[in-house]
C-alpha cells in the first residue's frame, strides 16, 4: 500500500499548529522511547530525525501522512518527558506548553512506552494525563524486538496491569506490529 509522508512544521505553541481540519494523532512518550523511529517505520522512509541522545525533540514535529486511499492525517511527535536534565511529565515548559496546545485540538493519542521498562511512574502519570486529555487513546510498547519471548509476555502483562488497558507491542526495527498499529490508528482517528 502506498504511503506518502512529509514534514509540515515544528510547533512551539498553538499558533504554529495546522488548522485545516485533518484528523490528528499525537505521539506521547518518554525521551528516547522511539517516537521518531516509529514514525519512520510507519511511513517506510526517513521523515523524522532520530537521535540516540535523549531530549533532542523539543518542539511538536508535525507530519502529514496518507496511507492508500485514506484521507491524510497529521502525526504529531511531541517532545519526550522524563529526561532528568530536561523534562518531567508535569511542570516542564517544553513538554507542557506544546502538549497542551496540541491536546486543545482534541487529537487521538498514542502513549509510547519502552517494552523493556514496565512499571515506570512517569508512564503511569502520562497515561493518566492522556486519558483526561483525549477520549481516543491507546498504549503502544516500542522496542519489543529487544526482548525474548518470556520477557515480552511478562513485560506486556506488567504494562497492562499497571496501566489498566491493553498494550500493542511493536518494533520499528523488525516491523513487528506495524500493520496492527495502522489499524489502531484508523480506529482512533474515526472514533468519537
Amino acid at each position: 500500500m502506498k504511503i506518502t509522508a512529509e514534514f509540515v512544521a515544528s510547533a512551539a505553541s498553538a499558533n504554529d499548529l495546522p488548522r485545516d481540519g485533518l484528523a490528528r494523532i499525537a505521539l506521547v512518550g518518554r525521551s528516547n522511547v522511539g517516537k521518531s523511529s516509529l514514525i519512520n517505520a510507519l511511513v517506510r522512509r526517513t521523515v523524522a530525525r532520530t537521535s540516540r541522545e535523549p531530549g533532542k525533540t523539543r518542539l511538536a514535529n508535525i507530519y502529514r501522512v496518507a496511507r492508500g486511499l485514506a484521507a491524510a492525517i497529521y502525526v504529531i511527535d511531541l517532545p519526550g518527558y522524563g529526561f532528568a536534565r530536561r523534562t518531567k511529565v508535569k511542570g516542564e515548559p517544553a513538554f507542557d506548553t506544546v502538549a497542551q496546545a496540541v491536546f486543545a485540538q482534541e487529537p487521538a493519542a498514542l502513549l509510547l512506552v519502552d517494552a523493556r521498562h514496565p512499571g515506570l511512574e512517569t508512564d503511569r502519570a502520562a497515561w493518566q494525563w492522556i486519558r483526561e486529555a483525549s477520549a481516543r487513546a491507546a498504549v503502544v510498547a516500542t522496542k519489543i524486538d529487544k526482548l525474548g519471548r518470556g520477557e515480552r509476555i511478562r513485560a506486556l502483562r506488567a504494562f497492562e496491569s499497571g496501566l489498566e488497558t491493553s498494550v500493542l507491542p511493536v518494533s520499528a526495527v523488525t516491523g513487528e506490529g506495524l500493520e496492527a498499529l495502522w489499524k489502531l490508528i484508523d480506529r482512533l482517528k474515526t472514533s468519537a
Side-chain angles (χ1 to χ4, degrees):
M1 184 174 300
K2 182 179 179 184
I3 300 172
T4 60
E6 65 179 334
F7 172 76
V8 174
S10 290
S13 69
N15 294 336
D16 302 327
L17 297 171
R19 302 195 182 281
D20 58 7
L22 289 182
R24 298 148 199 274
I25 188 138
L27 302 185
V28 180
R30 289 185 313 113
S31 295
N32 257 22
V33 76
K35 295 180 299 292
S36 299
S37 295
L38 187 60
I39 290 169
N40 291 336
L42 279 170
V43 302
R44 300 182 193 143
R45 64 186 188 95
T46 302
V47 293
R49 291 198 333 234
T50 62
S51 172
R52 290 186 184 268
E53 184 181 332
K56 281 297 191 183
T57 303
R58 295 178 187 222
L59 303 170
N61 291 318
I62 304 161
Y63 304 89
R64 188 177 188 275
V65 178
R67 183 172 183 249
L69 299 175
I73 63 169
Y74 288 120
V75 176
I76 304 171
D77 182 3
L78 289 170
Y81 60 81
F83 181 46
R85 290 188 321 208
R86 200 182 67 74
T87 60
K88 298 177 185 151
V89 171
K90 283 292 201 182
E92 197 284 321
F95 178 78
D96 283 351
T97 302
V98 175
Q100 288 176 11
V102 168
F103 277 86
Q105 294 186 341
E106 301 179 352
L110 293 174
L111 172 63
L112 274 55
V113 294
D114 187 326
R116 301 169 298 176
H117 304 292
L120 295 177
E121 181 55 38
T122 54
D123 289 340
R124 282 194 299 273
W127 181 235
Q128 181 179 347
W129 182 84
I130 289 169
R131 286 188 321 207
E132 293 170 5
S134 178
R136 299 167 293 135
V139 179
V140 174
T142 62
K143 304 181 183 184
I144 197 70
D145 56 289
K146 306 232 184 247
L147 298 178
R149 187 170 183 260
E151 292 172 307
R152 289 175 182 219
I153 292 168
R154 285 189 294 278
L156 290 174
R157 282 183 184 153
F159 276 118
E160 290 177 349
S161 174
L163 300 175
E164 299 177 352
T165 191
S166 61
V167 176
L168 176 65
V170 300
S171 169
V173 173
T174 66
E176 178 181 347
L178 293 182
E179 189 58 36
L181 180 54
W182 272 116
K183 289 177 183 173
L184 176 60
I185 290 169
D186 288 340
R187 279 195 313 272
L188 290 174
K189 75 179 184 184
T190 58
S191 64

